[in-house]
Structures are given as C-alpha cells and as structure tokens.
C-alpha cells in the first residue's frame, strides 16, 4: 500500500505485479529490496534505498598489506550442558598467567583476554554456548575465529554437542575439542573420540586433522596444552588486523549502570580505540569517556582483539551491533538518529530469508546457488533417509547442504541457525518447541512440517523446479 501511494496508483496494481512475479502479497506486507526494484521498474520508477545512503557514510578504511599485524584469536566455548564450559572459562580466567599479574580478572564484561607464558594472547568470549554465538551471527556479526567444543569424557557426544558442531561448521570456524573431566574415574576419552570418528570428525590421535586435548577443567590438567593447540590452529588462520586506524568492532554486551550510566563492552576488531574518540554503535553514539579492561584497570588505548568496557554512549547498543569511530561527532549522531528513525518506520525487519516458495524463482534469476536446510525428525531412520534423498536432489545449478540434522523438536537455536545461515527448516513428525515459532516469525524463517517422506522430497523437488504452489 505504501509503494502504491508513492507511485500514485491503486494497491491492486502492485499486488498483481507481484503475482506475475510469483509472489503472493497482501497490502500490508513489506516487500524485499529486490522485489521492490522489479515492481517499481514495471511502472517506470527507479528505487533509491535510503538505508544504503546513510550506511555509505561509514567508510571502511582500506588496509595495505604492510599495515597488517598479527592479532590474538577470539574464541567461543561451546558444548552440551554440564559438560564444563563455565568451569573451563573460569579456570582459564583464574589461572591467567600474565607476567606479574596472576589471574585477577575481577569483572564480568562479556569477554576477557589471557596471556600465555610465551607471551601469546587469546581472547575469550565469556558467554558460553552456541546460542549466543549464533544469535550474534543472525544479527550479522561474526566475531569468533575459533570454537572450543567441550565434551565430558564420562558422558557421550550429546545432542547439544552435535548442535554446537553444526553451528561452528555453518559459521566456518575451526573447532578444537576439549575432552573434559578426565580426572573422573569413569572418564573414557577414547569412547568420545570414537563417537566423533563415527561422525566423520577425526581428531589428531585418530589420524585426523582436528585438534583435540584431554583436560580437566577442575584440576587444570591439560588446559595449558589445549590453549597451545588453540594458538597452533590460530597460526594457520593467519589472523591479522591494522592497529593504526580508527577503531571498529562489535558490541558484546551493554547495560545501564546506576552510578556510571551506559556501560558497553566492545571487542575491537581492527584499529585502535582511544579515550575521546567519537563512537557510533548500532543506534547509539557518544564520546568515549573512560575505558576499562576486565581487571577494572583504566586504560587509554585498545587495539585489535581487545575486549574493553567503555563509558560515554547515549544508550545501550545491542549485542552484535557493529561500532565505528568517527572524526566528526555530528556525523556519528546523525547516522544514529537516522537508524533509529528507519527502524521506527520499518518495524518489521527488511532482511528476508529464503522460503521454499521462492527457490524456483531465485534459481531462475541465477543468484541462488546453495540451499541450506536444517532437518529435524522424530527418529534417526527418517532423518537419515531424508538426508540421503535431499542430497541426491542437488543439481549443477543448486547445491543442497544439510547444515544441521538431528532427532528432536525444532528449537529456537535451530531458528537462529537458519537465520544466520539463510536456511529453511524441515521438520519430520516434529513441531516447533517453546519460543521457536515466534522467533521464526520474527526472523521470517520458513518452517515446513511433514509426516510423509515422499511429500517432503516431492515438495523440495517441485520447489527447485519452480513448480511449488505458494502456501497461502
Ligand atoms: P556447563 O553447563 O557446560 O557450563 O558446565 P559447568 O562448567 O557448569 O560444569 C557442570 C558440572 O561439572 C559442575 O558441577 C562442575 O563442577 C563439573 N565439572 C566441570 N568440569 C569438570 C572436571 O573437569 N572434572 C570434574 N570432576 N567435574 C567437572
């Protein structure tokens, strides 16, 4: 309806233009950028995107190769509940062996850095779990370079272990396994490694390439060696950043402190942040008044891979918001307020995710090469059967990737993974659980439920051929 008003024509005209493109819309529905452009073009109008304009003001400074310097890896700890994620993060925090400063991390700011005896550094995100990790990714922020996946050696490779593995793989971050609780008499690390091998994840002592180390987060056995393996893996990634430019990075968390005002923890990913810099973070801006590290020390500069809590923003940005430094306070303020305004106008997210109905059209347009699917089923047999059949549907034009498959209901974390990886979710004899349905609506994720294998396969086949009649 809004577009119709702008072009001074009846709403029905827009609706039928959409229909001729194979898109069923109502007058209150928002159109994605691509559809808008095509529809406007049909009526001789050209679309100019205001969002793109204001974001263009944020110029990425180009780095010359000689400006790049090595930076510390940023690591997230994931794994099944009770397998020891928090214990491992606590142990590393306490035993931090920075010269002359044994441990002493006093504040939870959402991330912390440790320095090993050899002087090398690692930055840890202090919110364990793949949910937090993927929620950030769904908001467009990938800060993690590597994942430590903790598996308790007195237990098994559990559902959330498998989820964590899928989430890390979907993000393309390398995995280092920490086989935990080896101090327990019932621990059997080999059993875990065998189970991993059965999932095609061969760890080093099984002749594979994936790093793994037996540890006890309780006694500390093996933790140092685990961190050395993390650094080895990091070396392969050749992580670099230019410290000599305006800082940019991602917000890790933010809150309002009664005495101090808005406190935001940010992770500097490139450049160096200084006191007095004008910062834009999401819809907030402000001048950096003070910076503290996780030990509560006031600091003046923060370079790449440094987590830092800052004071001075005019509100609390969201975890996953990017931040940039501006020369000009006014410009930062302007962009912040434009973003707020745009968000108010577009209470619905503009970024749309793929749906089964659209696949055929997108393939025909030629801009769609890979279909990511998350598959949840009631029993292992049906999940495996569907995986096989779906994979066989891959063609030269389109590759089908099952980025996660498991037995169990569709969870919020599945939906976030779908959002972060632009996937559709197929449920076989299972339904969304808890918040999953609401989150799927908010993120506009297509969830399809089936109870007959043949139907699921046929729908996907039809969709790929552009033959699926839209679900109204
Ligand atoms: P999370 O849910 O993955 O964060 O797991 P926690 O770190 O909270 O650990 C769950 C339980 O396992 C706690 O009671 C820990 O004390 C215990 N735990 C964690 N690591 C070890 C370990 O290496 N050895 C032993 N014996 N217990 C551990």
């Amino acid at each position: 309806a809004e577009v119709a008003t702008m072009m001074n024509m009846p709403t029905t005209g827009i609706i039928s233009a959409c229909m001729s493109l194979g898109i069923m819309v109502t007058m209150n529905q928002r159109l994605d950028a691509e559809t808008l452009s095509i529809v406007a073009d049909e009526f001789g109008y050209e679309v100019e995107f205001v969002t793109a304009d204001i974001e263009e003001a944020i110029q990425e400074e180009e780095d010359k190769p000689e400006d790049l310097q090595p930076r510390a890896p940023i690591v997230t700890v994931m794994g099944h509940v009770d397998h020891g994620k928090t214990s491992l993060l606590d142990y590393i925090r306490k035993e931090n062996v920075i010269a002359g400063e044994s441990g002493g991390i006093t504040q939870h700011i959402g991330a912390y850095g440790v320095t090993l005896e050899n002087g090398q550094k690692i930055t840890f995100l202090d919110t364990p779990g793949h949910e937090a990790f993927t929620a950030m990714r769904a908001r467009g922020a990938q800060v993690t370079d590597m994942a430590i996946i903790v598996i308790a050696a007195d237990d098994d490779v559990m559902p959330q272990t498998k989820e964590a593995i899928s989430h890390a793989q979907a993000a393309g971050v390398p995995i280092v396994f920490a086989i935990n609780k080896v101090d327990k008499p019932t621990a059997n690390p080999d059993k875990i490694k065998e189970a991993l091998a059965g999932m095609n994840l061969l760890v080093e002592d099984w002749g594979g390439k994936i790093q793994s180390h037996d540890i006890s987060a309780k006694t500390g056995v093996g933790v140092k060696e685990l961190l050395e393996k993390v650094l080895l893996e990091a070396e392969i990634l050749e992580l670099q950043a230019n410290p000599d430019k305006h800082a940019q990075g991602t917000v890790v968390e933010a809150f309002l402190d009664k005495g101090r005002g808005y406190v935001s923890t940010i992770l500097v990913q490139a450049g160096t942040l200084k006191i007095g810099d004008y910062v834009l973070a999401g819809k907030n801006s402000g001048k950096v008044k003070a910076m503290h590290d996780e030990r509560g020390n006031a600091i003046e500069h923060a370079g790449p891979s440094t987590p830092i809590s800052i004071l001075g923003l005019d509100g609390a940005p969201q975890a996953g918001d990017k931040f940039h430094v501006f020369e000009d306070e006014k410009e930062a303020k302007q962009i912040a307020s434009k973003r707020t305004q745009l968000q108010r106008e577009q209470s619905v997210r503009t970024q749309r995710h793929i749906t089964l109905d659209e696949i055929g059209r997108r393939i025909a347009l030629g801009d769609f090469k890979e279909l990511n699917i998350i598959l949840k089923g009631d029993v292992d047999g049906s999940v495996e059967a569907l995986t096989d059949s779906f994979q066989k549907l891959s063609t030269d034009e389109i590759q089908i990737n099952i980025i996660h498959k498991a037995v169990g209901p569709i969870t919020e974390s599945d939906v976030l993974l779908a959002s972060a990886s632009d996937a559709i979710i197929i449920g076989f004899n299972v339904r969304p659980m808890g918040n999953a349905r609401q989150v799927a609506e908010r993120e506009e994720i297509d969830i399809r439920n089936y109870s007959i294998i043949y139907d699921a396969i046929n729908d996907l086949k039809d969709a790929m051929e552009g033959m699926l009649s839209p679900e109204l």
Side-chain angles (χ1 to χ4, degrees), residues 80-87 180-181 183-184 216-218:
H80 194 74
V81 64
D82 280 346
H83 277 197
K85 300 178 291 290
T86 314
S87 305
N180 190 28
K181 306 199 186 183
D183 60 289
K184 284 191 158 184
S216 165
K218 190 173 171 189

Side-chain angles (χ1 to χ4, degrees), residues 32 34-35 38 354 358-371 397-398 422:
D32 60 85
E34 188 196 344
T35 314
I38 299 174
I354 190 71
E358 277 178 353
I359 293 169
R361 186 175 61 92
R362 294 275 303 272
I363 296 173
L365 283 173
D367 67 340
F368 195 68
K369 303 266 180 284
E370 280 184 306
L371 171 62
E397 282 89 49
I398 182 153
D422 199 13

Side-chain angles (χ1 to χ4, degrees), residues 209-442:
K209 292 215 170 71
I210 307 173
Q211 305 259 20
S212 144
H213 205 79
D214 297 353
I215 63 157
S216 165
K218 190 173 171 189
T219 67
V221 167
V223 174
K224 195 175 129 210
E225 292 79 5
L226 172 74
L227 299 187
E228 278 161 10
K229 289 189 171 169
V230 165
L231 285 169
L232 266 177
E233 195 65 41
E235 245 170 64
I236 302 171
L237 296 175
E238 293 184 18
L239 303 168
Q240 291 183 317
N242 174 8
D244 298 316
K245 61 176 183 180
H246 285 146
Q248 63 190 62
T250 303
V251 176
V252 177
E253 60 178 47
F255 61 96
L256 177 62
D257 180 277
K258 235 174 154 186
R260 296 182 297 164
Y262 290 102
V263 183
S264 316
T265 297
I266 58 178
L267 194 57
V268 179
Q269 288 171 283
T272 297
L273 187 68
K274 301 184 248 351
I275 299 227
D277 278 347
Y278 295 116
V279 174
L280 166 72
K283 296 190 294 294
N284 298 103
S285 67
K287 183 175 168 175
V288 178
K289 282 194 240 146
M291 300 202 279
H292 291 93
D293 65 12
E294 63 275 11
R295 294 178 178 73
N297 300 321
I299 58 163
E300 306 265 312
H301 309 270
S305 294
T306 314
I308 208 88
S309 90
I310 63 167
L311 297 179
L313 290 187
D314 60 3
Q318 278 185 283
D321 276 345
K322 303 217 166 50
F323 79 85
H324 288 87
V325 165
F326 281 74
E327 278 294 337
D328 180 15
E329 185 178 16
K330 247 187 14 224
E331 199 179 0
K333 267 211 170 97
Q334 260 169 12
I335 297 179
S337 78
K338 270 202 186 144
R339 280 180 176 166
T340 311
Q341 186 194 345
L342 272 170
Q343 205 203 22
R344 226 184 358 248
E345 285 171 7
Q346 313 178 343
S347 49
V348 189
R349 289 165 56 107
T350 43
Q351 194 205 344
R352 290 194 50 222
H353 291 290
I354 190 71
T355 65
L356 210 51
D357 300 332
E358 277 178 353
I359 293 169
R361 186 175 61 92
R362 294 275 303 272
I363 296 173
L365 283 173
D367 67 340
F368 195 68
K369 303 266 180 284
E370 280 184 306
L371 171 62
N372 292 334
I373 295 178
I374 295 171
L375 179 59
K376 300 297 288 274
D378 54 344
V379 289
D380 216 33
S382 49
V383 172
E384 289 310 321
L386 280 168
T387 303
D388 273 357
S389 313
F390 285 166
Q391 269 160 353
K392 285 198 193 112
L393 292 178
S394 285
T395 63
D396 289 344
E397 282 89 49
I398 182 153
Q399 164 87 32
I400 293 187
N401 305 318
I402 311 286
I403 60 168
H404 179 58
K405 57 173 180 186
V407 171
I410 296 158
T411 62
E412 187 174 336
S413 121
D414 293 329
V415 177
L416 288 174
L417 179 61
S419 177
S421 307
D422 199 13
I424 61 169
I425 299 178
I426 292 184
F428 188 77
N429 280 332
V430 291
R431 296 266 145 195
M433 186 182 78
N435 269 339
R437 169 90 55 202
Q438 283 103 295
V439 181
E441 261 163 38
R442 190 189 71 211

